[in-house]
Coordinates of all heavy atoms in Angstrom, one line a residue:
M1 N 140.7 45.6 145.5 CA 140.3 44.5 144.8 C 141.5 43.6 144.4 O 141.4 42.4 144.5 CB 139.6 45.0 143.5 CG 139.4 43.9 142.5 SD 137.7 43.8 142.1 CE 137.6 42.4 141.0
V2 N 142.6 44.2 144.1 CA 143.8 43.4 143.7 C 144.3 42.7 145.0 O 144.7 41.5 144.9 CB 144.9 44.3 143.1 CG1 146.1 43.5 142.9 CG2 144.4 44.9 141.8
R3 N 144.2 43.3 146.1 CA 144.6 42.6 147.4 C 143.8 41.4 147.7 O 144.3 40.4 148.1 CB 144.5 43.6 148.5 CG 145.7 44.3 148.9 CD 145.6 45.0 150.2 NE 146.6 46.0 150.2 CZ 146.7 47.0 151.1 NH1 145.7 47.1 152.0 NH2 147.6 47.9 151.0
V4 N 142.5 41.5 147.5 CA 141.6 40.4 147.7 C 141.9 39.2 146.8 O 142.0 38.1 147.2 CB 140.1 40.8 147.5 CG1 139.2 39.6 147.6 CG2 139.7 41.9 148.5
I5 N 142.2 39.5 145.5 CA 142.6 38.5 144.6 C 143.9 37.9 145.0 O 144.1 36.7 145.0 CB 142.6 39.0 143.2 CG1 141.2 39.4 142.7 CG2 143.2 38.0 142.2 CD1 141.2 40.2 141.4
A6 N 144.9 38.7 145.4 CA 146.2 38.3 145.7 C 146.2 37.4 147.0 O 146.9 36.4 147.0 CB 147.1 39.4 146.0
F7 N 145.3 37.7 147.9 CA 145.3 36.9 149.1 C 144.5 35.6 148.9 O 144.7 34.6 149.6 CB 144.6 37.7 150.3 CG 145.5 38.7 150.8 CD1 145.0 40.0 151.1 CD2 146.8 38.5 151.1 CE1 145.8 41.0 151.6 CE2 147.7 39.4 151.7 CZ 147.2 40.7 151.9
S8 N 143.6 35.6 147.9 CA 142.8 34.4 147.7 C 143.5 33.3 146.9 O 143.2 32.1 147.1 CB 141.5 34.8 147.0 OG 141.8 35.3 145.7
V9 N 144.5 33.7 146.1 CA 145.2 32.6 145.4 C 146.4 32.1 146.3 O 146.9 32.9 147.1 CB 145.8 33.1 144.1 CG1 144.7 33.0 143.0 CG2 146.3 34.5 144.2
S10 N 146.8 30.9 146.0 CA 147.9 30.4 146.8 C 149.2 31.1 146.4 O 149.4 31.7 145.4 CB 148.0 28.9 146.5 OG 148.4 28.7 145.2
N11 N 150.2 30.9 147.2 CA 151.6 31.5 147.0 C 152.2 31.0 145.7 O 153.0 31.7 145.1 CB 152.5 31.1 148.2 CG 152.1 31.9 149.4 OD1 151.4 32.9 149.4 ND2 152.5 31.4 150.6
R12 N 151.9 29.8 145.3 CA 152.5 29.2 144.1 C 151.9 29.9 142.9 O 152.6 30.0 141.9 CB 152.2 27.7 144.1 CG 153.1 27.0 143.1 CD 152.9 25.5 143.1 NE 153.5 25.0 144.4 CZ 153.3 23.7 144.8 NH1 152.6 22.9 144.0 NH2 153.9 23.3 145.9
L13 N 150.7 30.3 142.9 CA 150.0 30.9 141.7 C 150.2 32.5 141.7 O 149.8 33.0 140.7 CB 148.6 30.5 141.7 CG 148.3 29.1 141.4 CD1 146.8 28.8 141.4 CD2 148.8 28.7 140.1
Q14 N 150.7 33.1 142.7 CA 150.7 34.5 142.8 C 151.6 35.1 141.6 O 151.2 36.1 141.0 CB 151.2 35.0 144.1 CG 150.1 35.0 145.2 CD 150.6 35.5 146.5 OE1 151.8 35.9 146.6 NE2 149.7 35.5 147.5
P15 N 152.8 34.6 141.3 CA 153.5 35.1 140.2 C 152.8 35.0 138.8 O 152.9 35.9 138.0 CB 154.8 34.3 140.2 CG 154.9 33.8 141.5 CD 153.5 33.6 142.0
V16 N 152.1 33.9 138.7 CA 151.3 33.7 137.4 C 150.2 34.7 137.3 O 150.0 35.3 136.2 CB 150.7 32.2 137.4 CG1 149.9 32.0 136.2 CG2 151.9 31.2 137.4
V17 N 149.5 34.9 138.4 CA 148.4 35.9 138.4 C 148.9 37.3 138.1 O 148.4 38.1 137.4 CB 147.6 35.8 139.7 CG1 146.6 37.0 139.8 CG2 146.9 34.5 139.8
A18 N 150.1 37.6 138.7 CA 150.7 38.9 138.5 C 151.1 39.1 137.0 O 150.9 40.2 136.4 CB 151.9 39.1 139.4
A19 N 151.6 38.1 136.4 CA 152.0 38.1 135.0 C 150.8 38.3 134.1 O 150.9 39.1 133.2 CB 152.8 36.9 134.6
L20 N 149.7 37.6 134.4 CA 148.5 37.7 133.6 C 147.9 39.1 133.7 O 147.5 39.7 132.8 CB 147.5 36.7 134.0 CG 147.8 35.3 133.6 CD1 146.8 34.3 134.2 CD2 147.9 35.2 132.1
L21 N 148.0 39.7 134.9 CA 147.5 41.1 135.1 C 148.3 42.1 134.4 O 147.8 43.0 133.7 CB 147.4 41.4 136.6 CG 146.3 40.7 137.4 CD1 146.5 41.0 138.9 CD2 144.9 41.1 136.9
C22 N 149.6 41.9 134.3 CA 150.5 42.8 133.6 C 150.2 42.6 132.1 O 150.2 43.6 131.4 CB 152.0 42.4 133.9 SG 152.5 43.0 135.5
L23 N 150.1 41.4 131.6 CA 149.8 41.2 130.2 C 148.4 41.9 129.8 O 148.3 42.5 128.7 CB 149.7 39.7 129.9 CG 151.1 39.0 129.8 CD1 150.9 37.5 129.6 CD2 151.9 39.6 128.6
M24 N 147.4 41.8 130.7 CA 146.2 42.4 130.4 C 146.3 43.9 130.3 O 145.7 44.6 129.5 CB 145.1 42.0 131.4 CG 144.7 40.6 131.2 SD 143.4 39.9 132.3 CE 143.1 41.1 133.5
A25 N 147.1 44.5 131.2 CA 147.3 45.9 131.3 C 148.1 46.4 130.0 O 147.7 47.4 129.4 CB 148.1 46.3 132.5
V26 N 149.0 45.6 129.6 CA 149.8 46.0 128.3 C 148.9 45.9 127.1 O 148.9 46.8 126.3 CB 151.0 45.0 128.2 CG1 151.6 45.2 126.8 CG2 152.0 45.3 129.2
Q27 N 148.0 44.9 127.1 CA 147.1 44.8 125.9 C 146.1 46.0 125.9 O 145.8 46.5 124.8 CB 146.3 43.5 126.0 CG 147.1 42.3 125.6 CD 146.2 41.0 125.6 OE1 145.1 41.0 126.2 NE2 146.7 40.0 125.0
L28 N 145.7 46.4 127.0 CA 144.8 47.6 127.1 C 145.6 48.9 126.6 O 145.0 49.7 125.9 CB 144.2 47.8 128.5 CG 143.2 46.8 128.9 CD1 142.8 47.1 130.4 CD2 141.9 47.0 128.0
A29 N 146.8 49.0 127.0 CA 147.6 50.2 126.6 C 147.9 50.1 125.1 O 147.8 51.2 124.5 CB 148.9 50.2 127.4
V30 N 148.2 49.0 124.6 CA 148.5 48.9 123.1 C 147.2 49.1 122.3 O 147.2 49.7 121.3 CB 149.1 47.5 122.8 CG1 149.2 47.3 121.3 CG2 150.5 47.4 123.4
A31 N 146.1 48.6 122.8 CA 144.8 48.8 122.1 C 144.3 50.2 122.1 O 143.7 50.6 121.1 CB 143.7 47.9 122.8
S32 N 144.8 51.0 123.0 CA 144.3 52.4 123.1 C 145.2 53.3 122.2 O 144.8 54.4 121.9 CB 144.4 52.9 124.5 OG 145.7 53.0 124.9
C33 N 146.3 52.8 121.7 CA 147.2 53.5 120.8 C 146.6 53.5 119.4 O 146.0 52.6 119.0 CB 148.6 52.9 120.7 SG 149.4 53.0 122.3
T34 N 146.8 54.6 118.6 CA 146.4 54.7 117.3 C 147.4 53.9 116.4 O 148.6 54.1 116.6 CB 146.2 56.1 116.8 OG1 147.5 56.8 117.0 CG2 145.2 56.8 117.6
P35 N 146.9 53.2 115.4 CA 147.8 52.5 114.5 C 148.6 53.5 113.6 O 148.1 54.6 113.3 CB 146.9 51.6 113.7 CG 145.6 52.3 113.7 CD 145.5 53.0 115.0
E36 N 149.8 53.1 113.3 CA 150.6 53.9 112.4 C 150.0 53.9 111.0 O 149.5 52.8 110.5 CB 152.1 53.4 112.4 CG 152.8 53.6 113.7 CD 154.2 53.1 113.6 OE1 154.7 52.9 112.5 OE2 154.9 53.0 114.6
P37 N 150.1 55.0 110.2 CA 149.6 54.9 108.9 C 150.4 54.0 108.0 O 151.6 53.9 108.2 CB 149.7 56.4 108.4 CG 150.7 57.0 109.3 CD 150.6 56.3 110.6
A38 N 149.8 53.4 107.0 CA 150.5 52.5 106.1 C 151.4 53.3 105.2 O 151.1 54.4 104.8 CB 149.5 51.7 105.3
P39 N 152.6 52.7 104.9 CA 153.4 53.4 104.0 C 152.8 53.5 102.6 O 151.9 52.7 102.2 CB 154.7 52.5 103.9 CG 154.3 51.2 104.5 CD 153.1 51.5 105.4
Y40 N 153.2 54.5 101.8 CA 152.6 54.8 100.6 C 152.7 53.7 99.6 O 151.8 53.4 98.8 CB 153.3 56.1 100.0 CG 152.6 56.5 98.7 CD1 151.4 57.1 98.6 CD2 153.3 56.3 97.4 CE1 150.8 57.5 97.4 CE2 152.7 56.6 96.2 CZ 151.5 57.2 96.2 OH 150.9 57.6 95.0
A41 N 153.8 53.0 99.6 CA 154.0 51.9 98.7 C 153.0 50.8 98.8 O 152.7 50.1 97.9 CB 155.4 51.3 98.8
S42 N 152.5 50.5 100.0 CA 151.6 49.5 100.2 C 150.2 49.8 99.7 O 149.3 49.0 99.6 CB 151.5 49.1 101.7 OG 151.0 50.1 102.4
R43 N 149.9 51.1 99.5 CA 148.6 51.5 99.1 C 148.5 51.7 97.5 O 147.4 52.0 97.0 CB 148.2 52.8 99.8 CG 147.9 52.6 101.2 CD 147.5 53.9 101.9 NE 148.7 54.7 102.2 CZ 148.8 55.9 102.4 NH1 147.7 56.7 102.3 NH2 149.9 56.6 102.7
V44 N 149.6 51.6 96.8 CA 149.6 51.8 95.4 C 149.2 50.5 94.7 O 149.6 49.4 95.0 CB 151.0 52.2 94.9 CG1 151.1 52.3 93.4 CG2 151.5 53.5 95.5
M45 N 148.2 50.7 93.8 CA 147.7 49.5 93.1 C 148.7 49.2 92.0 O 149.1 50.0 91.2 CB 146.3 49.8 92.5 CG 145.6 48.6 91.9 SD 144.0 49.0 91.5 CE 144.1 49.1 89.8
I46 N 149.0 47.9 91.9 CA 150.0 47.4 90.9 C 149.2 47.0 89.7 O 148.3 46.1 89.8 CB 150.9 46.3 91.4 CG1 151.7 46.8 92.6 CG2 151.8 45.8 90.3 CD1 152.4 45.8 93.3
T47 N 149.5 47.5 88.5 CA 148.8 47.1 87.3 C 149.8 46.4 86.4 O 151.0 46.7 86.3 CB 148.2 48.3 86.5 OG1 149.3 49.2 86.3 CG2 147.1 49.0 87.4
R48 N 149.3 45.4 85.6 CA 150.1 44.7 84.7 C 149.7 44.9 83.3 O 148.6 45.0 82.9 CB 150.1 43.2 85.0 CG 150.8 42.9 86.4 CD 150.8 41.4 86.6 NE 151.4 41.2 87.9 CZ 151.7 40.0 88.4 NH1 151.5 39.0 87.6 NH2 152.3 39.9 89.5

């Protein structure tokens, strides 16, 4: 599938398409990671 897409775009747009595919892959990898727990100080309620 990637070959078909690579051959269908012009030579000038191939680096742009490759960069977009890499960005999409990085976003998927980051989205699959679990978020770090919040530090304790940010969860403490401040009273006045």
Side-chain angles (χ1 to χ4, degrees):
M1 169 124 182
V2 175
R3 260 190 204 169
V4 174
I5 294 171
F7 287 135
S8 63
V9 276
S10 67
N11 289 338
R12 194 175 290 173
L13 290 179
Q14 282 182 2
V16 176
V17 172
L20 287 176
L21 288 174
C22 288
L23 285 175
M24 289 181 354
V26 168
Q27 284 183 346
L28 287 174
V30 170
S32 66
C33 297
T34 57
E36 293 183 11
Y40 182 75
S42 67
R43 290 183 277 159
V44 174
M45 191 171 102
I46 299 173
T47 57
R48 292 185 181 186

